Structure formats: C-alpha cells, structure tokens
C-alpha cells in the first residue's frame, strides 16, 4: 500500500490514479461508442487490413505496454523498464497513426472522429499519468 501511495485519508489515492481513472474512463467510453457505431450495418466499413492494423496496435503495442508499465510500477528499479517502455510506446504511436492516417482520414465523419479522439487522447493522458506515477513521483 505504501508503494502505491494509498493513504487512510481522502483522497486515498495519488492524483495520478485519479487522472488514470478519469482519462481511462473517457477512453473506454470512446472505444465502446466507436464499437457500437460500427455495429450499425450502415457504418460497418472496416476492411480486413484495417482490422489487422488495429489488432496489431492493440496486441503488439497496448498489451505489452500494460505489462511493462505494471512491472515497472511494482519493481524496486523501474528505470530498468524505461527503454522497453519507450520502444513499445514508439511502436504503438506509429501503429495508431498508421490506422488513423491510412484508414480513417478520408472515411470518418465527425461522429466517428470524435469517438477516436476520445479513445486516443483519453488513453494517452491516462498513460502519461501512470508514467508520471512510476518515474516522477
């Protein structure tokens, strides 16, 4: 508990955890809204290449990033994870940009673009709060 900064008095958690919850919530809502948007047959325009690009961003970027960040958070030497985290971050940003600029830039309307911004910016700000908790606190 002490390592995570949990206290017996309000606000109980470090501000970074509260920010992760807020921005992660925004990202989750954006992702769910985008998923629901694409369940409508009129909006189902995802190609196999686009689905593969999104799966690569999540599977080769998001999941390893979560594991590395978790390991750094519980480690006594989080700086040992810094280079792998930055490498995975670069890959993830490139994969997301590829998806957005190759598949979405011409096809998406205002609604879908808003959902994507919620998802990407929410995740980015949540990640920055987590990174700050691990490496700056």
């Amino acid at each position: 508990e002490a390592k995570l900064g949990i206290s017996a008095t309000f606000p109980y958690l470090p501000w970074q955890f509260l920010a992760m919850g807020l921005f992660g919530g925004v990202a989750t809502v954006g992702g769910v809204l985008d998923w629901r948007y694409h369940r409508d047959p009129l909006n189902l325009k995802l190609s196999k290449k686009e689905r593969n690009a999104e799966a690569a961003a999540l599977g080769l970027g998001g999941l390893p990033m979560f594991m590395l960040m978790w390991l750094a958070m519980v480690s006594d030497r989080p700086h040992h994870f810094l280079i792998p985290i930055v490498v995975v971050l670069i890959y993830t940003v490139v994969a997301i940009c590829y998806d957005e600029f190759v598949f979405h830039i011409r096809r998406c309307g205002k609604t879908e673009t808003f959902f994507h911004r919620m998802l990407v910016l929410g995740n980015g700000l949540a990640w920055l709060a987590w990174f700050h908790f691990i490496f700056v606190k």
Side-chain angles (χ1 to χ4, degrees):
E1 290 181 4
K3 188 172 192 172
L4 294 178
I6 299 171
S7 76
T9 59
F10 186 79
Y12 308 112
L13 297 171
W15 70 265
Q16 296 95 333
F17 283 35
L18 302 173
M20 286 173 16
L22 173 67
F23 295 123
V26 168
T28 300
V29 168
V32 168
L33 290 173
D34 187 54
W35 177 79
R36 287 189 50 140
Y37 180 82
H38 286 292
R39 300 291 59 95
D40 181 346
L42 297 176
N43 299 319
L44 190 60
K45 303 173 187 173
L46 302 180
S47 68
K48 183 167 177 52
K49 282 185 176 183
E50 181 177 357
R51 288 184 194 275
N52 289 342
E54 290 176 355
L58 179 61
L60 299 175
L63 295 176
M65 178 63 75
F66 180 82
M67 291 176 8
L68 287 167
M69 293 288 283
W70 183 265
L71 291 170
M73 185 174 71
V74 298
S75 173
D76 291 331
R77 297 181 183 177
H79 61 278
H80 289 167
F81 295 91
L82 190 54
I83 290 175
I85 286 171
V86 170
V87 168
V88 173
L89 174 67
I90 292 168
Y91 168 80
T92 304
V93 169
V94 168
I96 290 169
C97 289
Y98 174 76
D99 180 51
E100 289 294 325
F101 294 126
V102 170
F103 300 109
H104 295 273
I105 199 161
R106 290 182 198 94
R107 176 179 55 85
C108 293
K110 288 182 181 180
T111 301
E112 190 176 2
T113 298
F114 181 71
F115 297 156
H116 291 178
R117 287 182 181 161
M118 287 176 68
L119 178 60
V120 172
L121 291 175
N123 273 325
L125 291 171
W127 181 84
L128 284 171
W130 197 5
F131 189 87
H132 187 276
F133 176 78
I134 295 168
F135 294 104
V136 179
K137 68 174 177 163

